[in-house]
Amino acid sequence: MNWLSDITPPGIKKMFKQDDNQEALWTRCPSCEQMTFNRDLEHEQMVCPNCGHHHQITPVMRLFHLLGEDWERIELPETPDDPLKFKDTKPYSARLKDYRKRTGERDALVVGKGKIGDRGAVVAVQNFKFMGGSMGTAIGEGLLTAADEAVKSRSALIVVTASGGARMQEGILSLMQMPRSTIAVQKVREAGLPYIVILTNPTTGGVTASYAMLGDIHIAEPGALIGFAGPRVIEQTIREKLPEDFQRAEYLLDKGMIDRVTDRRELARELSEILSVLMPPPEIEVPVAANDEASTVAGEDGPLDDTLPKAAE
């Protein structure tokens, strides 16, 4: 009989509960099954000190560890809550209300700006705990806002992905965020600024098929699942057994699909080194070409969106 069975006093079981309860004191690693005191786990950026398993991390904690305590949140535009009046076992509007209460966020993307090393950076982080980090219109608007801010402040754009794919409750509107996110990336690229993607567990579906694989550099966390369809779906489709580490970060690195696999605790240092190569020192002002639309509109000539063809809007 497990010692956490029904005969265990409730006060003891409460200390080891594996859910979103803020009063839980310990966390069991799903990889090595060792118990870690939550305060120690947070000190390690939610990386298991015993086996190196990367637990999920909140967007705010992620931004703090990448940008430091002086990071600034970028407010994102609000989007319609339930444009299709979708309902499955419960209305989509009710699901949104529930997840907003659980996470304290309006949707699955949080954007912050600050510095990594001495280079400016705008960092957009997906929250897997908000409907599986699914991509809806809010994420599309958020990425466009992040791209505009990056161009305006002459900063790198860094996107941290964590998603099961497109949000089915928004139907075709969700799928349209794939080309819209591509426009966001193109804005940054035309301004001559770096676009870096950090792939975390999991990154799948329409997110992988769009902005997650458009980076100048792709860095993955150890063990992250990265792909379009999941391995079980692929196995059932082709009726063949896949390699054990198929679609994991290390496998993709070996096949040349990504550039690096980096421990979360080393990400800030590694990003600082990368940006020091890709961006000029802050004291050097880069001249703006007269025909560089993305750069011109980042100044006093008007909003960035004015440069886009009407069809692209």
Side-chain angles (χ1 to χ4, degrees), residues 169-227:
Q169 290 88 348
E170 295 188 19
I172 190 63
L173 298 177
S174 174
L175 296 179
M176 285 304 298
Q177 305 317 305
M178 296 171 67
R180 293 188 80 223
S181 65
T182 303
I183 292 173
V185 173
Q186 188 62 24
K187 288 182 178 184
V188 175
R189 204 157 271 161
E190 288 176 355
L193 298 166
Y195 171 55
I196 299 173
V197 181
I198 299 172
L199 302 152
T200 74
N201 185 51
T203 297
T204 58
V207 170
T208 305
S210 54
Y211 57 90
M213 286 298 171
L214 294 177
D216 300 311
I217 294 177
H218 297 93
I219 303 173
E221 290 188 339
L225 175 66
I226 305 164

Side-chain angles (χ1 to χ4, degrees), residues 151-152 288 292-304 306-307:
V151 173
K152 179 181 177 181
V288 178
D292 188 343
E293 293 182 345
S295 298
T296 302
V297 293
E300 298 178 354
D301 294 336
L304 187 61
D306 290 347
T307 65

